[in-house]
Amino acid sequence: MLLLIAGTSHAGKTCLAQKLPEKLKYPYQSIDHLKTGLKSSRPP
């Protein structure tokens, strides 16, 4: 299952995105963490 959460700044998207998987027993992955990992793995 893939859930995408969108909304305006400071709407509580991150809070919801972190708490929802706890209740549903699904893994949580932040797109920000993915972007950071991709940037750090690029050659200079």
Side-chain angles (χ1 to χ4, degrees), residues 10-30:
H10 299 1
K13 299 177 300 288
T14 300
C15 184
L16 175 64
Q18 290 173 341
K19 292 182 184 225
L20 192 58
E22 290 175 13
K23 290 196 174 254
L24 298 176
K25 306 291 189 237
Y26 284 109
Y28 165 75
Q29 182 63 58
S30 168

